[in-house]
Amino acid sequence: GAGVSQSPRYKVAKRGQDVALRCDPISGHVSLFWYQQALGQGPEFLTYFQNEAQLDKSGLPSDRFFAERPEGSVSTLKIQRTQQEDSAVYLCASSLVSGLNGRAFFGQGTRLTVV
Amino acid sequence: TQLLEQSPQFLSIQEGENLTVYCNSSSVFSSLQWYRQEPGEGPVLLVTVVTGGEVKKLKRLTFQFGDARKDSSLHITAAQPGDTGLYLCAGAKAAGNKLTFGGGTRVLVKP
C-alpha cells in the first residue's frame, strides 16, 4: 500500500489479556515510531526504531509494553496484562530517513479499549 | 505536565470567520510542526517551521514560529467547513528522536 497500515483498527480486550498491534510502514522507510493518544489528548511518544534497532524506548509506560521490528520493516507493539489505563489509540508513523530529519507519515491507528 | 500548551482547547466559528490557535512552551525547540487530525485518522503534517521568527503560508493558513523558538501560532483566514479538525503542534529537539505534541485544539467550522 501507499501509506502506513495498522491492524487491527479496533481491539477490545478484557483486563489482563495480552494484545499485539501491528504496523506496516511505508516500504523502504528507515524510521518507525509508536505513539499513544488518549481520548481528547495529543499523541505521546512511546518508542523509536531505526531499521531493526530500537534506539529509544523512553516513552514506554511500563515493562508491560514491548515493541519489536525484527527485520526492519513490520513492527509489533505488544501490551501484556492490559489495564484500563491502556485504553487509547496507538499510532504508528514511519519516515524515509533517520530520526526526525524527514517527514513522518502516520497510520490510522489502532483503537484499544480495555474492559 | 504538558510541555507544549495549546489554546484554546476548542473553537467553534462560522464559515468565513478567522481563527488563531496558539502553541506555547517554556522550552526551546529546534523545529515545530503543525498537524491536522480528522476522526479515525492519523495526524497529517501541514507545515514545519525551523527558524525563529519564520512565517509560512499555506493557502489560507499562516504559521509563525516565535523569535525564541518557544511558541508558534496558526492563523486561518476565512475558515471553511473543510478546515474542521483537531490541530496539533509538535516540537522536536535537536538530535532527538521524538516529537512532543501539544494537547490539540479542536476546531469546528459551521456552514
Side-chain angles (χ1 to χ4, degrees), chain A residues 9 33 35 37 100 107-108, chain B residues 37 40-42 97-99 101:
Chain A
R9 287 293 313 276
F33 308 84
Y35 287 82
Q37 186 173 24
L100 295 172
Q108 292 178 301
Chain B
Q37 185 178 24
E41 302 293 327
N97 296 314
K98 63 182 179 183
L99 290 171
F101 282 85

Side-chain angles (χ1 to χ4, degrees), chain B residues 6-83:
Chain B
Q6 285 189 239
S7 62
Q9 289 185 312
F10 178 71
L11 201 51
S12 178
I13 60 171
Q14 291 295 135
E15 182 176 1
E17 292 182 340
N18 301 333
L19 68 99
T20 302
V21 176
Y22 299 94
C23 176
N24 295 296
S25 176
S26 57
S27 295
V28 175
F29 291 99
S30 61
S31 67
L32 198 136
Q33 300 179 350
W34 283 93
Y35 290 82
R36 186 170 75 199
Q37 185 178 24
E38 300 192 20
E41 302 293 327
V44 176
L45 180 67
L46 296 174
V47 79
T48 300
V49 285
V50 297
T51 305
E54 181 176 5
V55 177
K56 279 192 174 179
K57 293 194 175 184
L58 185 66
K59 296 183 180 178
R60 294 175 294 100
L61 279 60
T62 301
F63 304 86
Q64 187 162 6
F65 202 12
D67 290 341
R69 289 187 288 132
K70 292 182 179 181
D71 52 82
S72 182
S73 64
L74 157 61
H75 183 79
I76 302 179
T77 304
Q80 299 177 359
D83 296 326

Side-chain angles (χ1 to χ4, degrees), chain A residues 17-38:
Chain A
Q17 272 187 331
D18 298 348
V19 297
L21 312 180
R22 177 185 170 108
C23 173
D24 283 82
I26 295 173
S27 178
H29 276 200
V30 167
S31 294
L32 187 144
F33 308 84
W34 283 99
Y35 287 82
Q36 179 191 59
Q37 186 173 24

